[in-house]
Short mmCIF file of all heavy atoms in Angstrom, two decimals:
data_model
loop_
_atom_site.label_atom_id
_atom_site.label_comp_id
_atom_site.label_asym_id
_atom_site.label_seq_id
_atom_site.Cartn_x
_atom_site.Cartn_y
_atom_site.Cartn_z
N VAL A 1 0.85 -1.18 0.00
CA VAL A 1 0.00 0.00 0.00
C VAL A 1 0.89 1.24 0.00
O VAL A 1 1.77 1.38 0.84
CB VAL A 1 -0.93 0.03 1.21
CG1 VAL A 1 -1.73 1.32 1.24
CG2 VAL A 1 -1.88 -1.17 1.18
N GLN A 2 0.64 2.12 -0.94
CA GLN A 2 1.40 3.35 -1.05
C GLN A 2 0.47 4.55 -1.07
O GLN A 2 -0.59 4.51 -1.71
CB GLN A 2 2.25 3.36 -2.31
CG GLN A 2 3.42 2.39 -2.29
CD GLN A 2 4.30 2.53 -3.50
OE1 GLN A 2 3.82 2.53 -4.63
NE2 GLN A 2 5.60 2.66 -3.27
N LEU A 3 0.88 5.60 -0.38
CA LEU A 3 0.16 6.85 -0.36
C LEU A 3 1.12 7.95 -0.79
O LEU A 3 2.22 8.06 -0.25
CB LEU A 3 -0.38 7.16 1.04
CG LEU A 3 -1.27 6.09 1.69
CD1 LEU A 3 -1.60 6.50 3.13
CD2 LEU A 3 -2.56 5.91 0.90
N VAL A 4 0.71 8.76 -1.74
CA VAL A 4 1.55 9.83 -2.26
C VAL A 4 0.79 11.13 -2.21
O VAL A 4 -0.26 11.26 -2.83
CB VAL A 4 2.02 9.54 -3.69
CG1 VAL A 4 2.89 10.68 -4.20
CG2 VAL A 4 2.78 8.23 -3.75
N GLU A 5 1.34 12.10 -1.47
CA GLU A 5 0.73 13.41 -1.35
C GLU A 5 1.32 14.39 -2.37
O GLU A 5 2.48 14.27 -2.76
CB GLU A 5 0.94 13.99 0.06
CG GLU A 5 0.46 13.10 1.19
CD GLU A 5 1.57 12.26 1.77
OE1 GLU A 5 2.55 11.96 1.05
OE2 GLU A 5 1.47 11.90 2.95
N SER A 6 0.52 15.36 -2.75
CA SER A 6 0.97 16.41 -3.63
C SER A 6 0.11 17.65 -3.40
O SER A 6 -0.93 17.59 -2.75
CB SER A 6 0.91 15.99 -5.10
OG SER A 6 -0.43 15.72 -5.49
N GLY A 7 0.54 18.77 -3.96
CA GLY A 7 -0.25 19.98 -3.90
C GLY A 7 0.20 21.01 -2.90
O GLY A 7 -0.37 22.11 -2.85
N GLY A 8 1.20 20.69 -2.10
CA GLY A 8 1.70 21.66 -1.14
C GLY A 8 2.43 22.79 -1.84
O GLY A 8 2.73 22.73 -3.02
N GLY A 9 2.71 23.83 -1.07
CA GLY A 9 3.41 24.97 -1.63
C GLY A 9 3.44 26.13 -0.66
O GLY A 9 3.14 25.98 0.53
N LEU A 10 3.79 27.29 -1.19
CA LEU A 10 3.89 28.52 -0.41
C LEU A 10 2.74 29.44 -0.78
O LEU A 10 2.53 29.74 -1.96
CB LEU A 10 5.23 29.21 -0.68
CG LEU A 10 5.43 30.59 -0.07
CD1 LEU A 10 5.44 30.50 1.44
CD2 LEU A 10 6.72 31.20 -0.60
N VAL A 11 2.00 29.88 0.23
CA VAL A 11 0.89 30.79 0.01
C VAL A 11 0.90 31.89 1.07
O VAL A 11 1.47 31.73 2.15
CB VAL A 11 -0.48 30.07 0.03
CG1 VAL A 11 -0.58 29.06 -1.09
CG2 VAL A 11 -0.71 29.41 1.39
N GLN A 12 0.26 32.99 0.74
CA GLN A 12 0.08 34.07 1.70
C GLN A 12 -1.06 33.75 2.65
O GLN A 12 -1.98 33.00 2.31
CB GLN A 12 -0.21 35.38 0.97
CG GLN A 12 0.91 35.88 0.08
CD GLN A 12 2.07 36.44 0.88
OE1 GLN A 12 1.90 36.93 2.00
NE2 GLN A 12 3.26 36.37 0.31
N ALA A 13 -1.00 34.31 3.83
CA ALA A 13 -2.10 34.16 4.78
C ALA A 13 -3.40 34.61 4.13
O ALA A 13 -3.45 35.63 3.45
CB ALA A 13 -1.82 34.96 6.04
N GLY A 14 -4.45 33.82 4.35
CA GLY A 14 -5.73 34.10 3.73
C GLY A 14 -5.94 33.39 2.41
O GLY A 14 -7.06 33.37 1.89
N GLY A 15 -4.89 32.81 1.88
CA GLY A 15 -4.98 32.11 0.62
C GLY A 15 -5.46 30.68 0.78
O GLY A 15 -5.82 30.24 1.87
N SER A 16 -5.44 29.95 -0.33
CA SER A 16 -5.96 28.59 -0.36
C SER A 16 -5.00 27.64 -1.05
O SER A 16 -4.23 28.03 -1.93
CB SER A 16 -7.31 28.54 -1.10
OG SER A 16 -8.29 29.32 -0.45
N LEU A 17 -5.07 26.40 -0.64
CA LEU A 17 -4.34 25.31 -1.27
C LEU A 17 -5.19 24.05 -1.19
O LEU A 17 -6.02 23.92 -0.29
CB LEU A 17 -3.01 25.03 -0.58
CG LEU A 17 -1.78 25.87 -0.92
CD1 LEU A 17 -0.62 25.44 -0.03
CD2 LEU A 17 -1.41 25.72 -2.39
N ARG A 18 -4.96 23.14 -2.11
CA ARG A 18 -5.58 21.83 -2.03
C ARG A 18 -4.48 20.78 -2.13
O ARG A 18 -3.74 20.75 -3.11
CB ARG A 18 -6.62 21.61 -3.13
CG ARG A 18 -7.37 20.29 -2.95
CD ARG A 18 -8.50 20.11 -3.94
NE ARG A 18 -8.02 19.76 -5.27
CZ ARG A 18 -8.80 19.35 -6.25
NH1 ARG A 18 -10.11 19.24 -6.06
NH2 ARG A 18 -8.26 19.07 -7.43
N VAL A 19 -4.39 19.95 -1.11
CA VAL A 19 -3.45 18.85 -1.14
C VAL A 19 -4.21 17.57 -1.48
O VAL A 19 -5.37 17.40 -1.11
CB VAL A 19 -2.68 18.69 0.19
CG1 VAL A 19 -1.70 19.85 0.36
CG2 VAL A 19 -3.62 18.63 1.38
N THR A 20 -3.54 16.70 -2.21
CA THR A 20 -4.15 15.49 -2.71
C THR A 20 -3.32 14.28 -2.32
O THR A 20 -2.09 14.34 -2.31
CB THR A 20 -4.29 15.55 -4.25
OG1 THR A 20 -5.16 16.62 -4.61
CG2 THR A 20 -4.88 14.25 -4.80
N CYS A 21 -3.99 13.20 -2.01
CA CYS A 21 -3.35 11.93 -1.70
C CYS A 21 -3.86 10.88 -2.67
O CYS A 21 -5.08 10.71 -2.82
CB CYS A 21 -3.65 11.53 -0.26
SG CYS A 21 -3.04 9.90 0.21
N VAL A 22 -2.94 10.20 -3.33
CA VAL A 22 -3.29 9.12 -4.24
C VAL A 22 -2.84 7.80 -3.64
O VAL A 22 -1.67 7.66 -3.27
CB VAL A 22 -2.65 9.32 -5.63
CG1 VAL A 22 -3.03 8.17 -6.55
CG2 VAL A 22 -3.09 10.64 -6.23
N ALA A 23 -3.75 6.86 -3.55
CA ALA A 23 -3.46 5.56 -2.96
C ALA A 23 -3.32 4.50 -4.04
O ALA A 23 -4.00 4.54 -5.07
CB ALA A 23 -4.56 5.16 -1.98
N SER A 24 -2.45 3.53 -3.78
CA SER A 24 -2.28 2.41 -4.68
C SER A 24 -1.90 1.17 -3.88
O SER A 24 -1.42 1.27 -2.75
CB SER A 24 -1.22 2.69 -5.74
OG SER A 24 0.05 2.90 -5.14
N GLY A 25 -2.13 0.01 -4.46
CA GLY A 25 -1.73 -1.23 -3.83
C GLY A 25 -2.72 -1.82 -2.85
O GLY A 25 -2.41 -2.80 -2.17
#
């Protein structure tokens, strides 16, 4: 079983981000 995250980064306060996890196995 593998889990891989993505979508992180640098944002200003008040901003938005979406992180995603993809599972396999």
Side-chain angles (χ1 to χ4, degrees):
V1 176
Q2 290 185 310
L3 305 174
V4 180
E5 305 96 333
S6 63
L10 173 65
V11 297
Q12 296 286 332
S16 297
L17 277 176
R18 186 174 76 169
V19 290
T20 297
C21 175
V22 180
S24 62

